[in-house]
Amino acid sequence: MARKRQEAPHFGPHRHMKAPVEHAMHRKATCLRLLRYFREERWRVVLLTFIVAVSVAAGVSAPVFMSQAIDAITAAAYERVPGILWWMFGACALYAVLLFFQGRLSARLSQSIILRLRKDLFEKINGLPLASIDRHPHGDLMSRMTNDADNIATVISTSLGTLFAGILSVIGTTAVMLSFSVPLTLLTWMTAVVTVVTTKCVAKKMGRYFRERQELLGQLNSMVEEKVTAVRTVKAYARERQVIAAFDQTADSLTKTGIRAESIGSSMGPLMNTISNFSFVVVTVFGAYFALEG
């Protein structure tokens, strides 16, 4: 895989120096190579897509049945209410069951793809010449085999289905909202814009710390692999203090960066809940106003 080198801070006894960090030179080509691993799992991908689509349809239809039940109660057509409530209960139950199967199928898809990816990585490393292996820290190679592969597995098992479900949910929810009230839909989309802008700002800052954390983790793994396992060589050259200082520096930087990344990441949920509640209040107030105006 073609890579380009980018300067990044070097943590250690020579902090003023810059250490090269590798990034994919052709991100599109890299993504396409990752997508090849989905070919042998086509049936799981198709089944997952179907499950997500049906679950989103069930989730979107539940509020529609609730609206029909409220209209029936308002019109004093009480004989219609039990039937509507049964349909609403069925939609919610179907949504919950499909959500469970979606999680299991995503996990199986993730594990199957990562198994083949790790086998290919292992075969690739075994086929590399010694000179190529010597040019890269052993800990960095191990980090690629473990941490990077785990990150890909997490994306496949959690983010892939969530992303597809989110897109379908936005489309379905917008269609239902427009059928109820165009002004309320526009108000809701205004708050959605605020959510997108806020998420973009927070994600930009959060992504910086998560990238830095992965870089520091690779450096720490490299240091453990090369210095701790070669402790006799370190002692022979009387480099114990320098190695300990470098390890402490990198470990401290990793701890601070990890705390910042997790703190910002944990704030995303409460922040989104606050904006969501604000959107709920806006829709409630204007919805009540529109109802009073007929």
Side-chain angles (χ1 to χ4, degrees):
M1 186 182 298
R3 292 179 175 270
K4 65 180 179 181
R5 304 173 79 85
Q6 178 177 332
E7 297 298 323
H10 176 71
F11 297 88
H14 304 287
R15 296 188 300 274
H16 61 280
M17 297 179 64
K18 298 289 185 178
V21 179
E22 291 184 339
H23 295 275
M25 184 177 292
H26 305 290
R27 295 188 179 184
K28 183 178 179 181
T30 303
C31 292
L32 290 175
R33 290 184 66 181
L34 285 174
L35 287 175
R36 292 177 188 171
Y37 288 92
F38 286 86
R39 290 180 180 176
E40 296 184 13
E41 306 292 334
R42 284 190 294 267
W43 71 272
R44 279 198 176 106
V45 174
V46 172
L47 183 58
L48 179 62
T49 304
F50 176 76
I51 289 176
V52 169
V54 176
S55 66
V56 169
V60 170
S61 63
V64 177
F65 293 126
M66 185 185 300
S67 172
Q68 292 176 356
I70 294 173
D71 291 342
I73 293 172
T74 304
Y78 300 110
E79 69 281 356
R80 294 176 50 204
V81 175
I84 296 173
L85 291 180
W86 275 112
W87 277 103
M88 187 174 68
F89 173 77
C92 294
L94 180 63
Y95 176 77
V97 171
L98 290 179
L99 205 62
F100 170 76
F101 283 107
Q102 176 186 332
R104 288 184 60 88
L105 189 59
S106 297
R108 288 183 179 274
L109 177 65
S110 168
Q111 294 303 315
S112 178
I113 290 175
I114 292 305
L115 177 62
R116 287 188 286 111
L117 177 62
R118 281 180 171 155
K119 284 182 178 179
D120 291 345
L121 281 171
F122 188 73
E123 292 174 1
K124 179 68 175 178
I125 291 177
N126 281 339
L128 290 175
L130 264 174
S132 177
I133 295 177
D134 267 348
R135 283 197 300 267
H136 295 82
H138 297 168
D140 183 56
L141 295 175
M142 294 301 296
S143 179
R144 292 178 189 272
M145 291 285 291
T146 55
N147 298 321
D148 293 356
D150 286 341
N151 287 335
I152 295 174
T154 302
V155 169
I156 296 173
S157 61
T158 59
S159 303
L160 192 64
T162 304
L163 176 63
F164 185 53
I167 294 173
L168 291 180
S169 296
V170 169
I171 296 173
T173 304
T174 303
V176 172
M177 288 165 60
L178 286 172
S179 67
F180 284 146
S181 173
V182 174
L184 286 180
T185 303
L186 295 177
L187 283 170
T188 305
W189 272 106
M190 287 175 60
T191 57
V193 171
V194 176
T195 303
V196 170
V197 172
T198 305
T199 303
K200 186 176 180 181
C201 294
V202 175
K204 184 178 180 181
K205 194 171 185 64
M206 181 175 59
R208 167 196 163 193
Y209 287 116
F210 273 104
R211 284 193 300 270
E212 187 176 341
R213 187 182 70 171
Q214 289 302 115
E215 293 167 7
L216 289 169
L217 184 60
Q219 292 180 25
L220 199 66
N221 288 340
S222 174
M223 194 175 299
V224 171
E225 181 69 22
E226 293 186 349
K227 305 301 183 184
V228 176
T229 56
V231 63
R232 292 183 179 179
T233 305
V234 173
K235 287 184 176 180
Y237 288 92
R239 299 282 298 177
E240 296 97 322
R241 290 184 179 179
Q242 291 87 337
V243 171
I244 292 173
F247 181 87
D248 290 343
Q249 178 93 32
T250 307
D252 290 343
S253 299
L254 177 61
T255 302
K256 293 176 182 177
T257 304
I259 291 173
R260 290 171 184 167
E262 294 297 336
S263 299
I264 298 175
S266 300
S267 68
M268 181 72 81
L271 194 59
M272 292 301 102
N273 286 336
T274 302
I275 297 176
S276 177
N277 291 334
F278 173 74
S279 173
F280 179 77
V281 171
V282 170
V283 172
T284 302
V285 171
F286 280 92
Y289 172 76
F290 293 150
L292 291 174
E293 291 294 321

